[in-house]
Amino acid sequence: MVNVDDIIIAREKMKGVIHTTPLDYSKTFSLLAHNEVYLKLENLQKTGSFKARGSYNKLISLTEEELQKGVVAASAGNHAQGVAYSSQMLGVNCTIVMPKGAPLSKILATKQYGAEVILEGATFDDALSFALELKEQRAATFIHAFDDEAIIAGQGTAGLEILDQLPDVEAVICPVGGGGLIAGVAMAIKEKNPHIAVYGVQTVACPSMKQSLIEKSPVIVDSTPTMADGIAVKKPGQKTFEITQKYVDDVYCVDEMEIARTMLMLLERNKLLVEGSGACSLSSLLYEKVKLKEKKVVAVLSGGNVDMNFISRIIERGLVESGRFAAFNITLKDKPGELQKVLSSLTDLEANIQSVNLHHMGKNIYPGYAQLEISVETKNNEHIDILYKVLKEKNYSVEMTDFQP
């Protein structure tokens, strides 16, 4: 069984290869969360996530014979890049199997680290099955994403860094998927100081570790789509579950709205690009899922690998959720000057017009009237309510429209 000495040894072996990531105090989030909030910036780690820690530690634990035969892994995200980077550092042949729908940016990033990338199957499970077959064919070593002692020990080095950087820390919050990060960090911290609280955070879309702790055994849960895809693991590992059960104080869940708002705030306030999975820990503080007040708290931002085509959608979703964007359908008379009246009503209230579409014909448009679709940049939800109220007072037929990123 992995122990804290394994984590200490892993840290020594990683020096010069894996970053000691910054621990950044945030005045903004401290005020909002009513705690002293420090951000552990694993989004600035090699390959853009904490995964490089575990994969490198796993590879250096292999025998020379195993290294010569190469390694195989299955992943559509951060684990792929972590294994590819670690293999490149050690001169090891590396094959990553990814599902055919994997984002192009992640495929290219993995290839740039020198890995052979094979696209197989429509889902991660398909890719995993093929990777296991490939491992047998090539007599290679399979690198598990989380349920491996060397992986857990490698991820735990982040916990040792936190203790060095903030010795009087009172609580640490980690995102949880398969459990490799929380298991390693919790063991490192609790073995050094059992009085420090350690909490995990999942999404309501895939609460596998939370449900497993309730049922006292790793279980498979149903999963719905989530922007925190990096922690959307339907079943935690056996090893990671046992360590989490022993060391972690509790696991909480955040929803999509809370994640989107937190991602936007990190980008806007702290100039940090953090993926949905990485934002969950801070989100749990901001939305008071973790009940802490006036404590020194570290939120681990586990990664920053957001697909470039998805960033704008995340920003838009966050703007909508925080009341910074609104869209209306307005029925108005089809005659000169009516459109200008509506636009003036909105701009007089300091709404910034984003788009305007005026329809003169349609199924629900009666003769003599037009349908206006308009989107505006707003200040907050109260501002949106004021806009809606003023338009109604001017006798316009107004409907708020849902925004789907």
Side-chain angles (χ1 to χ4, degrees):
M1 186 69 174
V2 64
N3 58 57
V4 71
D5 291 334
D6 296 322
I7 301 174
I8 295 169
I9 292 168
R11 185 182 185 186
E12 289 302 311
K13 290 182 177 180
M14 287 180 182
K15 285 184 177 178
V17 179
I18 301 298
H19 288 321
T20 297
T21 54
L23 187 69
D24 182 47
Y25 172 74
S26 174
K27 183 176 180 180
T28 296
F29 293 122
S30 294
L31 291 171
L32 290 172
H34 309 291
N35 287 282
E36 290 186 46
V37 177
Y38 295 79
L39 307 176
K40 181 61 172 168
L41 304 183
E42 284 297 292
N43 58 312
L44 303 183
Q45 183 55 265
K46 296 283 190 180
T47 75
S49 88
F50 73 96
K51 289 286 189 178
R53 295 177 184 270
S55 58
Y56 185 77
N57 191 53
K58 174 61 178 178
L59 262 67
I60 60 176
S61 73
L62 300 179
T63 66
E64 189 63 36
E65 181 181 357
E66 288 173 322
L67 292 173
Q68 288 177 357
K69 290 180 179 179
V71 298
V72 173
S75 171
N78 292 337
H79 181 57
Q81 295 174 59
V83 174
Y85 167 77
S86 301
S87 298
Q88 186 182 62
M89 290 296 99
L90 297 169
V92 176
N93 289 328
C94 171
T95 302
I96 305 293
V97 183
M98 306 176 96
K100 291 178 180 178
L104 180 60
S105 60
K106 293 184 178 180
I107 295 171
L108 293 175
T110 304
K111 286 182 177 180
Q112 286 171 355
Y113 288 121
E116 175 192 0
V117 175
I118 297 175
L119 301 179
E120 183 67 33
T123 67
F124 170 75
D125 288 336
D126 295 335
L128 176 60
S129 296
F130 185 80
L132 292 172
E133 291 176 11
L134 198 65
K135 169 236 178 189
E136 294 296 332
Q137 293 171 13
R138 299 184 179 181
T141 298
F142 183 75
I143 309 298
H144 199 283
F146 49 85
D147 206 28
D148 180 282
E149 293 187 2
I151 293 284
I152 294 168
Q155 319 301 28
T157 59
L160 295 180
E161 289 177 17
I162 291 170
L163 293 174
D164 287 347
Q165 293 165 324
L166 191 67
D168 56 347
V169 61
E170 295 175 274
V172 176
I173 307 174
C174 288
V176 183
L181 178 63
I182 189 95
V185 168
M187 176 179 286
I189 288 172
K190 290 287 193 177
E191 287 293 329
K192 293 288 186 179
N193 185 346
H195 300 294
I196 299 172
V198 179
Y199 301 105
V201 182
Q202 297 196 288
T203 73
V204 294
C206 191
S208 55
M209 185 66 83
K210 177 73 174 177
Q211 190 61 36
S212 295
L213 291 171
I214 291 171
E215 299 191 27
K216 296 181 172 54
S217 178
V219 296
I220 299 174
V221 299
D222 292 330
S223 177
T224 56
T226 172
M227 64 184 69
D229 56 337
I231 56 172
V233 178
K234 294 183 179 181
K235 183 180 180 181
Q238 182 65 43
K239 295 181 178 69
T240 57
F241 168 78
E242 291 172 1
I243 296 170
T244 300
Q245 187 180 46
K246 179 178 179 180
Y247 291 108
V248 175
D249 293 274
D250 208 342
V251 175
Y252 300 91
C253 293
V254 292
D255 63 32
E256 299 300 293
M257 175 194 74
E258 293 158 348
I259 297 168
R261 287 182 178 177
T262 303
M263 290 177 70
L264 183 64
M265 290 177 70
L266 280 163
L267 189 59
E268 196 169 41
R269 304 289 182 89
N270 285 52
K271 310 302 180 274
L272 291 170
L273 181 61
V274 178
E275 62 193 76
S277 307
C280 287
S281 54
L282 179 60
S283 184
S284 71
L285 269 178
L286 296 178
Y287 292 94
E288 299 183 350
K289 303 303 173 74
V290 181
K291 304 296 183 182
L292 296 172
K293 293 294 180 185
E294 299 180 358
K295 303 290 186 182
K296 285 193 174 182
V297 186
V298 172
V300 179
L301 307 185
S302 57
N305 291 321
V306 186
D307 186 77
M308 293 302 292
N309 293 322
F310 196 57
I311 292 173
S312 62
R313 296 172 65 189
I314 292 295
I315 293 172
E316 289 166 352
R317 174 70 178 264
L319 289 171
V320 172
E321 298 292 1
S322 60
R324 302 277 297 281
F325 179 95
F328 301 98
N329 279 340
I330 303 170
T331 301
L332 64 161
K333 293 179 180 178
D334 189 10
K335 64 180 185 178
E338 287 299 310
L339 175 59
Q340 183 58 45
K341 288 179 183 178
V342 174
L343 298 179
S344 295
S345 296
L346 293 171
T347 55
D348 287 347
L349 292 167
E350 299 182 335
N352 185 26
I353 308 296
Q354 297 290 297
S355 67
V356 176
N357 288 296
L358 187 63
H359 304 282
H360 298 273
M361 294 185 294
K363 182 179 179 181
N364 297 316
I365 301 174
Y366 295 101
Y369 289 87
Q371 189 78 36
L372 174 64
E373 295 176 355
I374 188 166
S375 62
V376 293
E377 182 184 352
T378 50
K379 299 176 182 178
N380 49 41
N381 285 309
E382 289 73 21
H383 190 201
I384 294 172
D385 290 341
I386 291 170
L387 297 178
Y388 181 81
K389 181 180 179 182
V390 168
L391 291 170
K392 293 291 286 185
E393 287 174 349
K394 294 188 176 184
N395 295 319
Y396 291 111
S397 173
V398 185
E399 290 183 0
M400 293 283 296
T401 59
D402 291 331
F403 176 79
Q404 297 295 332

